[in-house]
Each structure stands twice: as C-alpha cells, then as structure tokens.
Amino acid sequence: NDLMDISELAHHGPESVIICTFSIIASFIYLATINIYLTLIIFLCVPVLIIIAASLRTKMLNAFMQTRRSLGEINASIESSISGIRVTKAFTNAEKEQEKFEKGNSLFVNARKTAYFSMGIFHSGTSFITDVFNVIVLIAGGLFLYRGSITFADYSAFIVSINLFLNPVTTLINF
C-alpha cells in the first residue's frame, strides 16, 4: 500500500505541481487584467482555504495512519496464524484464531470508517470554501457593478473565469 502511494506521488507529483503552479500564475494574470480588485479579493482569501485545508488534512492523515496500523495488526495476526497452523490444528485453536482475526478486522473496519469520514469532511470542507469564494466574488462584483467600477461584460468574464484560478489551487491542496 505504501509503495503504491509513493509511486503515485512520484508519477503525478511533479507534473501536478508544475501544471498547477503555471495555471495559478497565468489565471491570476488573466483575472488581474479583467479587474485587479476582484482578483486581489480572491487572492487574499486563498490563505483561509489553505489554513482550513491544512487543519482538515491533519485529521484525515491521522485517521488514515490508524487504518494502516490496524491493517498491519491484521497482517501480523494472519502471518502468525499461518506460520503456526500446525500448533493451531494440534490444540484445536481454530476458534481462538478466528476470534483474533475478527477482533483485528473489527478494529480495521472502524478505523476505515473514521478515515473515510475524515476524507469526506476534508473534501466537502474545501469544496465549501471554494464555493464561498464564488459567493464573495458574486457579492463584491455585484457591488462594483452597482457602483459603476466594473462593466457587466468584465463582471461576467470574471465570474466565468474564476474557476481557472480556483481549480488548480484546489488540485494542489488535494495533492
């Protein structure tokens, strides 16, 4: 499992970082050409997203670490049972070995539930924050439009293009 995670990181890591960094810079420049003030509002909100994501990510990583520990305990128990199969058969301890496995499996299932719950909170939390960014842009842009500091065309272009900036930021946070 760990080797699979490492290979995914080595395969997709550099590619994601380079593409997302370029996309963030390019979209920031593009959005700044439409309206610098709306762009700065979004750019100033990004640290909030990073702080919340880091907090949620810590909880999620702790939950997945507990899953790995419980999986290691199950594997150790199975290895012990298989290597001592003759002793187990000689003393008819099959039920005891089954109980040990069921206990370990129950711990694994509970740890996995917690991990998936934490992962769901992480993803829904980051999605919620990016949706709040869209609402902030809608409100701020609407106020700018009402005051005449932005044209309707620029406002529309900014609203349509905001995800050019937010999607790579979200990808990096998820990565």
Side-chain angles (χ1 to χ4, degrees):
N1 288 331
D2 292 340
L3 288 176
M4 181 64 171
D5 290 343
I6 291 170
S7 68
E8 285 296 313
L9 174 68
H11 182 257
H12 295 291
E15 170 189 346
S16 293
V17 169
I18 291 170
I19 290 172
C20 288
T21 303
F22 177 76
S23 296
I24 288 170
I25 293 168
S27 63
F28 180 80
I29 292 169
Y30 173 69
L31 291 172
T33 61
I34 295 173
N35 188 293
I36 188 69
Y37 299 113
L38 283 176
T39 304
L40 290 176
I41 289 171
I42 288 301
F43 194 70
L44 292 174
C45 290
V46 170
V48 173
L49 175 63
I50 292 171
I51 290 168
I52 291 172
S55 170
L56 294 174
R57 184 175 212 74
T58 301
K59 292 176 184 175
M60 183 176 70
L61 291 177
N62 290 339
F64 275 101
M65 182 57 74
Q66 185 60 36
T67 299
R68 284 190 206 98
R69 284 188 191 118
S70 62
L71 183 60
E73 289 175 18
I74 289 174
N75 288 340
S77 175
I78 290 173
E79 181 183 353
S80 173
S81 295
I82 290 173
S83 65
I85 192 78
R86 289 186 176 135
V87 174
T88 302
K89 284 183 176 182
F91 291 104
T92 60
N93 284 340
E95 286 183 26
K96 186 171 183 172
E97 293 297 323
Q98 181 70 28
E99 287 174 17
K100 280 178 21 183
F101 175 78
E102 291 297 329
K103 181 182 173 189
N105 193 42
S106 176
L107 290 173
F108 174 73
V109 167
N110 289 333
R112 202 66 173 168
K113 283 180 186 178
T114 303
Y116 282 135
F117 182 76
S118 297
M119 187 170 68
I121 294 217
F122 173 78
H123 287 293
S124 62
T126 55
S127 294
F128 176 74
I129 297 299
T130 55
D131 289 345
V132 167
F133 286 177
N134 284 322
V135 170
I136 290 171
V137 168
L138 284 170
I139 292 171
L143 291 173
F144 289 170
L145 187 64
Y146 179 75
R147 294 170 71 197
S149 14
I150 189 172
T151 66
F152 185 73
D154 285 345
Y155 177 59
S156 299
F158 198 91
I159 295 298
V160 169
S161 303
I162 191 67
N163 286 327
L164 292 174
F165 179 74
L166 291 178
N167 286 341
V169 169
T170 306
T171 300
L172 281 179
I173 287 173
N174 289 335
F175 170 73

